[in-house]
Amino acid sequence: MSLTRAEGFECPYCMAMNDLEVDEENDLNQQQIVDCQICCQPIEVTLSDQGFGLDIQVRQENE
């Protein structure tokens, strides 16, 4: 059984879809910096549990 699951989000720079492996026990309410898989820009990602599923907030690193 895998401890992670794949989630998708849109890059705030180039609007391309990106994949993110999420570990629900360790990644929730954590801030991460990931690079876009297309344009390589740094993206600030915050994951939270809203009770009905994961909420993925993304923004440009320098916002």
Side-chain angles (χ1 to χ4, degrees), residues 27-60:
D27 292 343
L28 291 180
N29 302 315
Q30 299 282 331
Q31 182 183 44
Q32 301 177 32
I33 303 294
V34 298
D35 291 335
C36 175
Q37 297 163 347
I38 304 301
C39 70
C40 300
Q41 294 290 324
I43 304 167
E44 187 177 295
V45 178
T46 305
L47 300 165
S48 60
D49 185 359
Q50 301 299 323
F52 53 86
L54 287 179
D55 181 38
I56 301 175
Q57 297 291 321
V58 297
R59 62 186 210 161
Q60 295 179 1

Side-chain angles (χ1 to χ4, degrees), residues 3-23:
L3 298 176
T4 63
R5 74 178 200 198
E7 292 289 333
F9 67 92
E10 190 174 90
C11 173
Y13 296 95
C14 70
M15 307 310 165
M17 287 303 294
N18 282 256
D19 294 321
L20 179 68
E21 288 293 318
V22 177
D23 178 347

